[in-house]
Amino acid sequence: GGGDIAFRNIDADNIFLYFDYNSTVANSVLTARDYLEIYTDSFGPTLSGSSLRIDARNAFLSAYLSYENLTVDADEAITLYLGQLEANNLILRTGGALTLIGGDDPNPSFPAFLSALSLDVRAHAVYGDAGSQIFADGLSMVADDTILLRGGVYVGSQPSVAPGDTGLIGRLQQAAPDLVPVSATPNAYFSADTVALASISMTGDHLQMQSNYFFLGAAQFEQAGTLV
């Protein structure tokens, strides 16, 4: 139902959470053995707090979640539909697909929006339509199969959680020290069999890609010496 909600931990086969007022839920774990859905029909209310962990087989999120630490772990799929996940530390894990649905408009009124100081994604595949947007000071995205992002990706200058290529950095320090990036670990890291990005913009100077097939539509780097 609507109104303020208050709980610590919920454990059930299925969880359906609907709210239409700003609500605070701190240090909580939501565990759904099958399906979990968090939904608001107005996109205005915010579910916020210090820490939230979501564990489910399938997670469907169509709401605005704002946390210091936010983890979503789903065995089969995570879907963000016209919603926003915002956190200092945002971790998304799924054995299936992470799908960001904001519509075909590249400037949507209600995008599928990921915003984090540190964003760490691991999935079988990652898909984002033109209405999806990703903002992260440090970004690590790893998929077994495909990363296909048709919306904008904006990366800051903080190191990601990816380990980076210490061998390459060591060789650059010896052979071309002027090319050594400020961040020894990448600010943005993408790894998948296929990586396709419509656009990426970075203020950091270290972008690392690992893929067999790679496509980049547009790139904007503030640092002239960005290492790619």
Side-chain angles (χ1 to χ4, degrees):
D4 291 332
I5 56 177
F7 56 81
R8 285 297 299 269
N9 300 328
I10 297 177
D11 187 318
D13 290 335
N14 298 283
I15 297 174
F16 298 87
L17 179 60
Y18 168 76
F19 61 100
D20 56 10
Y21 289 90
N22 290 339
S23 301
T24 300
V25 178
N27 300 318
S28 297
V29 178
L30 305 179
T31 302
R33 284 173 287 278
D34 190 9
Y35 180 77
L36 177 142
E37 180 173 321
I38 302 178
Y39 173 78
T40 176
D41 60 2
S42 62
F43 199 77
T46 301
L47 186 64
S48 61
S50 57
S51 177
L52 177 65
R53 179 180 179 90
I54 295 171
D55 291 307
R57 179 179 296 174
N58 290 280
F60 179 88
L61 307 172
S62 184
Y64 182 7
L65 308 183
S66 179
Y67 278 83
E68 294 180 20
N69 299 289
L70 176 58
T71 298
V72 182
D73 194 328
D75 294 339
E76 295 183 0
I78 299 172
T79 301
L80 179 64
Y81 177 77
L82 304 181
Q84 179 169 334
L85 305 183
E86 179 182 87
N88 290 344
N89 298 294
L90 178 56
I91 299 173
L92 303 175
R93 297 277 189 271
T94 179
L98 167 63
T99 306
L100 311 176
I101 303 173
D104 292 330
D105 185 352
N107 297 296
S109 299
F110 305 113
F113 191 88
L114 301 179
S115 178
L117 297 181
S118 174
L119 175 57
D120 183 8
V121 175
R122 292 181 182 271
H124 178 70
V126 180
Y127 302 109
D129 65 15
S132 63
Q133 298 179 12
I134 296 175
F135 293 82
D137 278 358
L139 168 62
S140 175
M141 185 172 289
V142 177
D144 300 322
D145 186 24
T146 301
I147 295 174
L148 174 58
L149 299 175
R150 295 173 55 213
V153 178
Y154 307 88
V155 181
S157 58
Q158 296 300 309
S160 70
V161 298
D165 190 334
T166 55
L168 173 61
I169 297 299
R171 292 191 295 272
L172 284 175
Q173 288 171 337
Q174 294 293 324
D178 291 343
L179 298 180
V180 176
V182 173
S183 177
T185 57
N187 307 113
Y189 175 76
F190 296 91
S191 176
D193 183 63
T194 298
V195 177
L197 308 178
S199 68
I200 185 169
S201 176
M202 286 184 57
T203 59
D205 65 348
H206 192 172
L207 169 63
Q208 184 173 336
M209 305 276 194
Q210 290 187 333
S211 67
N212 292 319
Y213 306 96
F214 173 65
F215 172 81
L216 179 59
Q220 180 178 349
F221 303 118
E222 287 195 10
Q223 304 293 330
T226 297
L227 177 65
V228 179

